[in-house]
Amino acid sequence: MILYKTIALKFGHHLENADPVEMIGPDGEKVSSEETRQQWQAVLNDLSSAKIYLLDHNAANYLDSLRMDVQGLPSEKRSESRIQDYVRDVDLPRELIWIEYDDRKLWEGRIARGVATLSKDELSKRHQRGFLFDNRPSDKLTVRLFSAKTNTLVFDAPLVLEIAKSHDGRPNFNDASWQPQRPVIAGLMRAGLLPDEAALRVHFEEYNNHLTYEMVIGFMLFAALAAREDDLASQEFQSLTKSQAKTARKFGKTWMTDAPKSHITIRIGPAAERHMTEQLARLSFEKALITNRAAPIEHWVAEHERQYSNGKVVRVRAHKRGRSADGTLPARVMGPLIKG
């Protein structure tokens, strides 16, 4: 499943064939059918103008590991200013950007790296995720999160995160707000997914946490692309085959032909592979140290004096101490091997 294609097909089909009903919004006011249609059209317009990046599971995990190097694990509770200062200086490559990845694969990678736990049931509920970054306004940056619940069911963004910009055009994370999308919330309420105010609060809190934590992966991608190193490899693909495009034009499916004509798939390169290998080895090594209370890695102890309580003084010659380094681990993880 490619999420942005699914959204374009779904909303385009709705605009062409569906007649949305009036609904009651979270504020108790009616949401007109025209307001719903405008919501669908706005999403289609943004997708058709956006630069599309699809992260494969290795690239998503690599960028996630870079983010954790700066932001830390959720359990570490590092100061938010640390990651905010980093993200603030990252330049977006385009004004309108879509970033998509497989959330289940991302969490499988986190579990494999030993930085998170998740039950099989919770893992099975995770599918594709997409973030839409809109940097067009001069006074704010907006971010929306779209999530697939199945291969055909997609949740639009119930809230839009608006981050005000400072005088230098950089995002000011101390001045952010959430803007509700009335047609989306009304649709969830009508479907029985948000039956009461308590369910509404839980859904919003979960959405807010997911968006604010995971959107940093996007900024890590922007930073990596700007660095132009060999940690990431990109390849452009056409969104529609020639036959699909021909069929869409034949039947006047403008919402298909107006969708992004191509997307860029991001994979990891040699540097990222080394980084992930070293990180896994380091985490495994640290876990073994904690579990087995292993002796320190072999190192030199300088000549020194040892004094005993009875007044005796013994001069200890320089010697090696600890266990031999594991040759299967990268040198950067273990430190330089001792020779001689």
Side-chain angles (χ1 to χ4, degrees):
M1 175 191 188
I2 298 180
L3 183 57
Y4 84 88
K5 281 188 179 182
T6 303
I7 294 173
L9 292 173
K10 176 184 175 182
F11 285 9
H13 179 78
H14 286 347
L15 282 170
E16 187 176 79
N17 301 290
D19 186 16
V21 299
E22 287 189 346
M23 300 176 290
I24 301 299
D27 53 3
E29 300 293 329
K30 285 186 178 181
V31 176
S32 67
S33 59
E34 182 58 28
E35 192 174 349
T36 301
R37 293 181 66 85
Q38 289 175 0
Q39 172 78 15
W40 294 340
Q41 188 64 61
V43 173
L44 284 177
N45 291 343
D46 286 347
L47 282 178
S48 65
S49 303
K51 187 75 170 180
I52 308 292
Y53 292 98
L54 305 186
L55 309 180
D56 80 350
H57 65 282
N58 287 324
N61 270 285
Y62 168 64
L63 295 169
D64 187 51
S65 71
L66 295 182
R67 182 271 301 279
M68 287 185 176
D69 287 343
V70 180
Q71 191 174 13
L73 300 174
S75 58
E76 291 184 85
K77 297 181 180 179
R78 294 185 187 178
S79 172
E80 290 187 0
S81 61
R82 182 171 182 174
I83 189 64
Q84 288 176 0
D85 290 343
Y86 180 92
V87 167
R88 190 177 185 276
D89 292 331
V90 175
D91 293 321
L92 275 65
R94 288 279 292 271
E95 289 186 334
L96 200 56
I97 302 168
W98 172 270
I99 295 177
E100 180 177 332
Y101 60 84
D102 188 330
D103 193 44
R104 182 186 301 174
K105 291 292 185 181
L106 175 63
W107 275 90
E108 286 177 352
R110 286 173 174 169
I111 294 169
R113 298 192 331 256
V115 297
T117 58
L118 207 63
S119 69
K120 288 185 178 180
D121 181 59
E122 291 174 316
L123 197 60
S124 67
K125 296 176 182 177
R126 295 181 177 272
H127 299 274
Q128 292 293 115
R129 272 191 175 168
F131 290 85
L132 188 62
F133 294 81
D134 188 351
N135 199 35
R136 291 173 296 183
S138 60
D139 60 338
K140 63 185 176 183
L141 166 69
T142 67
V143 188
R144 283 178 278 177
L145 168 61
F146 296 76
S147 301
K149 295 303 177 183
T150 66
N151 287 335
T152 56
L153 179 61
V154 177
F155 277 8
D156 196 346
L159 303 171
V160 175
L161 175 61
E162 292 188 354
I163 307 168
K165 293 181 180 178
S166 303
H167 64 278
D168 58 358
R170 300 289 183 178
N172 177 13
F173 293 96
N174 294 319
D175 187 4
S177 60
W178 296 93
Q179 301 303 321
Q181 304 299 290
R182 295 179 70 249
V184 179
I185 300 171
L188 294 173
M189 293 171 62
R190 185 171 182 270
L193 298 174
L194 302 177
D196 50 40
E197 188 174 340
L200 200 70
R201 285 197 301 270
V202 170
H203 183 74
F204 286 173
E205 183 178 358
E206 181 179 339
Y207 174 87
N208 294 359
N209 291 338
H210 287 173
L211 189 152
T212 53
Y213 186 72
E214 305 291 14
M215 75 173 185
V216 181
I217 292 177
F219 288 97
M220 289 297 173
L221 171 64
F222 306 149
L225 292 174
R228 297 182 179 276
E229 297 179 353
D230 65 345
D231 55 342
L232 293 179
S234 61
Q235 186 175 1
E236 189 168 4
F237 293 91
Q238 295 301 309
S239 297
L240 297 176
T241 64
K242 290 183 179 180
S243 61
Q244 288 174 333
K246 182 178 179 181
T247 302
R249 287 192 296 270
K250 178 180 179 181
F251 292 97
K253 307 291 186 182
T254 56
W255 38 272
M256 290 181 65
T257 55
D258 289 346
K261 293 180 172 55
S262 65
H263 62 260
I264 297 176
T265 297
I266 303 293
R267 298 183 174 89
I268 61 173
E273 289 181 0
R274 292 193 298 270
H275 170 88
M276 296 300 289
T277 299
E278 291 164 359
Q279 186 186 64
L280 283 172
R282 174 171 55 82
L283 291 171
S284 177
F285 172 66
E286 291 174 351
K287 183 178 180 180
L289 282 179
I290 295 172
T291 304
N292 302 326
R293 296 184 178 181
I297 299 304
E298 186 178 36
H299 61 282
W300 278 104
V301 177
E303 183 176 334
H304 62 281
E305 290 183 348
R306 181 176 296 167
Q307 297 183 357
Y308 294 89
S309 58
N310 60 4
K312 183 179 179 180
V313 178
V314 176
R315 178 167 293 278
V316 181
R317 293 182 178 181
H319 63 281
K320 290 180 182 179
R321 182 174 181 270
R323 60 190 178 88
S324 299
D326 185 351
T328 63
L329 291 179
R332 266 179 54 186
V333 177
M334 298 290 297
L337 298 178
I338 300 172
K339 297 181 180 180

